[in-house]
Amino acid sequence: MYFTAVSKRAYGQFCGIVRAVELIGERWALLIIRDLLVKPKRYSDLRQGLPRIPTNILAARLKELASAGIVRRRLLSRPSGVVYELSEYGRELEDIVLRLGRWGAKSLTEPGREDIVTVDSLIMALRSNFRAGRDASYELHLGDIVINASIRGGRLEVAEGTLPDADLVIETGTAIMTLMAGDVTPAKAIESGSVRLAGNVDLLSRFVDTFRI
Amino acid sequence: MYFTAVSKRAYGQFCGIVRAVELIGERWALLIIRDLLVKPKRYSDLRQGLPRIPTNILAARLKELASAGIVRRRLLSRPSGVVYELSEYGRELEDIVLRLGRWGAKSLTEPGREDIVTVDSLIMALRSNFRAGRDASYELHLGDIVINASIRGGRLEVAEGTLPDADLVIETGTAIMTLMAGDVTPAKAIESGSVRLAGNVDLLSRFVDTFRI
DNA sequence: CCGGATCCTCGGTGATACTG
DNA sequence: CAGTATCACCGAGGATCCGG
């Protein structure tokens, strides 16, 4: 079931934490897993979601993660191609990755000049910071990214794309961070024009409550 | 409160998970945090707990983690010296690190020829795999390491050293892994001599239940 | 076009020696 | 005790090339 460690340079300790770091501690590994937690992906999808990863590193990590039993390489026909997906063992990382995202988001301030937001990072950000709230559905536009989130029965589902019957459509930019972090009130954000809405406008404050950092 | 990222080579994404990886994803960083989660430590204590870490790397990581607001460097007098301790933000990693330990322990098999077990790794291993059970106290000897664990009111406390009034004293080696993983029964382990006991011998199976991987 | 492999450079890591 | 200094090396970064 489980095979070789990813990292060659061993830490020399017999310990679960050390083992975990050897498996997923290499550069880029956890971000590949982040994207695969959203859904199985082709090699080219992964490249697109991680624009700065060197192609040889992506290939190496996928091989290592596969031999560690975390990722599976699956051949598909019609259309033919290759998809990478998480194994059961890999999917067990979901909760850890989400918690890491919540922890890391607390120390996010301004996006750097070269920092981008990807579809998968935004999807995982919503999953990370979700706290149960009343049902609602949202369509969120951030730059040219469109995702939708629906809370039904206290459970959250987030996916890429529009949601025609969303209760609220939110169009915004990176300024949404100040809103989610509570640095600015929903009313102020609307007033300043940093978010534009369509639908049930009152739901914006519920959205903020549901996903507040 | 929070400052520069640890890693210089940026991933180029504005995302909580990316931020987390930039803060604690560098080599050795999470193991330093593992040891500091047990208790504050001197530079030399950290070196002893991480024998394979190059001293310049340890110094660099501590500086980076400090400037990231995860670790604090505290000067103490009488006896004079320096201790490193986790900040509030750093301590928020405890649950994540414990979960990583549980996840990684699942894929541990045999210890490699050069793999050692340290006091802190063993303490964190027990914390990782703890599942609430009835009260009891144990003293565990593994090689020349001695730690003690007491469960009182469903809460676990683990520390280094002996515990004179422990309900059960367990003396064992790395063979304990087969026991904790459920590959061998407590009775068989006693019979084979891979564990030796003193005190209330019947508590061994409760110990296994409480900390089973 | 997809899914990589190859080559080269550069900087972080590892190992050791040394110091206030 | 708590680091700094030096240097060899190897993995990451970046561009290009290749086979189906």
Side-chain angles (χ1 to χ4, degrees):
Chain A
M1 190 68 178
Y2 313 121
F3 311 91
T4 63
V6 167
S7 72
K8 288 109 193 75
R9 296 125 86 186
Y11 290 91
Q13 298 193 7
F14 185 71
C15 160
I17 298 163
V18 168
R19 175 73 173 167
V21 169
E22 287 176 349
L23 289 175
I24 58 169
E26 299 289 289
R27 208 166 152 73
W28 292 105
L30 210 60
L31 303 187
I32 294 171
I33 291 168
R34 176 197 70 182
D35 285 10
L36 291 183
L37 278 168
V38 174
K39 59 179 172 183
K41 291 212 159 56
R42 292 162 166 270
Y43 190 88
S44 46
D45 297 331
L46 288 167
R47 286 191 67 175
Q48 194 177 357
L50 302 166
R52 308 255 287 230
I53 194 173
T55 162
N56 56 338
I57 297 296
L58 176 56
R61 289 293 170 275
L62 286 172
K63 230 175 260 176
E64 294 159 352
L65 290 171
S67 92
I70 297 167
V71 159
R72 250 194 314 265
R73 185 183 200 271
R74 187 156 53 88
L75 293 158
L76 39 80
S77 46
R78 196 166 62 266
S80 74
V82 184
V83 284
Y84 294 92
E85 61 188 5
L86 292 176
S87 68
E88 180 59 35
Y89 190 52
R91 256 178 286 117
E92 289 177 20
L93 285 167
E94 172 155 9
D95 186 62
I96 291 170
V97 172
L98 291 177
R99 283 168 190 265
L100 268 176
R102 207 177 320 148
W103 180 82
K106 289 186 188 177
S107 77
L108 280 178
T109 53
E110 286 295 293
R113 201 67 210 87
E114 314 212 304
D115 286 349
I116 63 170
V117 175
T118 69
V119 176
D120 290 338
S121 73
L122 189 55
I123 290 175
M124 293 300 279
L126 287 189
R127 289 192 190 163
S128 278
N129 294 290
F130 173 66
R131 46 187 83 185
R134 278 180 297 165
D135 289 5
S137 62
Y138 308 94
E139 185 178 300
L140 178 63
H141 297 238
L142 196 152
D144 52 356
I145 293 173
V146 183
I147 69 170
N148 65 83
S150 25
I151 299 102
R152 262 194 281 274
R155 290 192 60 80
L156 169 70
E157 271 183 47
V158 196
E160 183 174 6
T162 62
L163 184 66
D165 60 348
D167 299 325
L168 174 65
V169 178
I170 307 173
E171 205 178 328
T172 181
T174 56
I176 198 179
M177 276 300 294
T178 63
L179 183 61
M180 304 313 294
D183 297 337
V184 83
T185 65
K188 286 281 182 190
I190 297 172
E191 191 186 321
S192 72
S194 65
V195 300
R196 279 160 302 177
L197 305 177
N200 185 346
V201 173
D202 295 337
L203 283 177
L204 180 61
S205 62
R206 187 189 293 187
F207 177 83
V208 172
D209 283 346
T210 304
F211 297 105
R212 173 156 42 206
I213 297 177
Chain B
M1 190 66 179
Y2 312 120
F3 311 91
T4 64
V6 166
S7 73
K8 290 109 192 72
R9 295 126 84 182
Y11 291 91
Q13 297 194 8
F14 186 70
C15 160
I17 297 164
V18 169
R19 175 73 174 168
V21 169
E22 287 175 350
L23 289 176
I24 58 169
E26 300 288 290
R27 206 165 153 71
W28 294 105
L30 210 61
L31 303 187
I32 294 170
I33 291 167
R34 176 199 70 182
D35 284 11
L36 291 182
L37 278 168
V38 175
K39 59 179 173 184
K41 289 209 160 55
R42 292 162 170 271
Y43 191 88
S44 46
D45 297 331
L46 287 167
R47 287 193 65 174
Q48 193 177 356
L50 302 166
R52 309 253 286 231
I53 194 175
T55 166
N56 57 339
I57 297 296
L58 176 57
R61 288 294 170 274
L62 286 171
K63 232 176 255 177
E64 293 158 355
L65 290 171
S67 92
I70 296 167
V71 159
R72 251 195 312 267
R73 185 184 198 271
R74 187 156 54 89
L75 292 159
L76 41 78
S77 47
R78 197 170 62 265
S80 74
V82 184
V83 284
Y84 293 91
E85 61 188 5
L86 292 175
S87 68
E88 180 58 36
Y89 189 51
R91 256 178 286 118
E92 290 177 20
L93 287 167
E94 172 156 8
D95 186 62
I96 291 170
V97 172
L98 291 178
R99 283 168 190 265
L100 269 176
R102 209 177 320 150
W103 181 82
K106 290 186 188 177
S107 77
L108 280 178
T109 53
E110 286 296 291
R113 202 68 210 86
E114 313 211 303
D115 286 350
I116 63 169
V117 175
T118 68
V119 176
D120 290 339
S121 73
L122 189 55
I123 290 175
M124 293 300 279
L126 287 189
R127 290 191 190 163
S128 278
N129 294 291
F130 173 65
R131 46 187 81 186
R134 279 180 296 163
D135 290 6
S137 62
Y138 308 94
E139 186 178 298
L140 179 63
H141 298 237
L142 197 150
D144 52 355
I145 294 173
V146 183
I147 69 170
N148 65 82
S150 23
I151 300 102
R152 262 193 281 275
R155 290 191 61 79
L156 169 70
E157 271 183 46
V158 195
E160 183 175 6
T162 62
L163 185 65
D165 58 350
D167 298 325
L168 175 65
V169 178
I170 306 173
E171 206 178 327
T172 181
T174 56
I176 198 179
M177 276 300 294
T178 63
L179 184 61
M180 304 313 295
D183 297 337
V184 84
T185 66
K188 286 281 181 190
I190 297 172
E191 191 186 321
S192 72
S194 66
V195 301
R196 279 161 301 176
L197 306 177
N200 186 345
V201 173
D202 295 337
L203 283 177
L204 180 61
S205 62
R206 187 190 292 186
F207 177 84
V208 172
D209 283 345
T210 304
F211 297 106
R212 173 157 43 208
I213 296 177

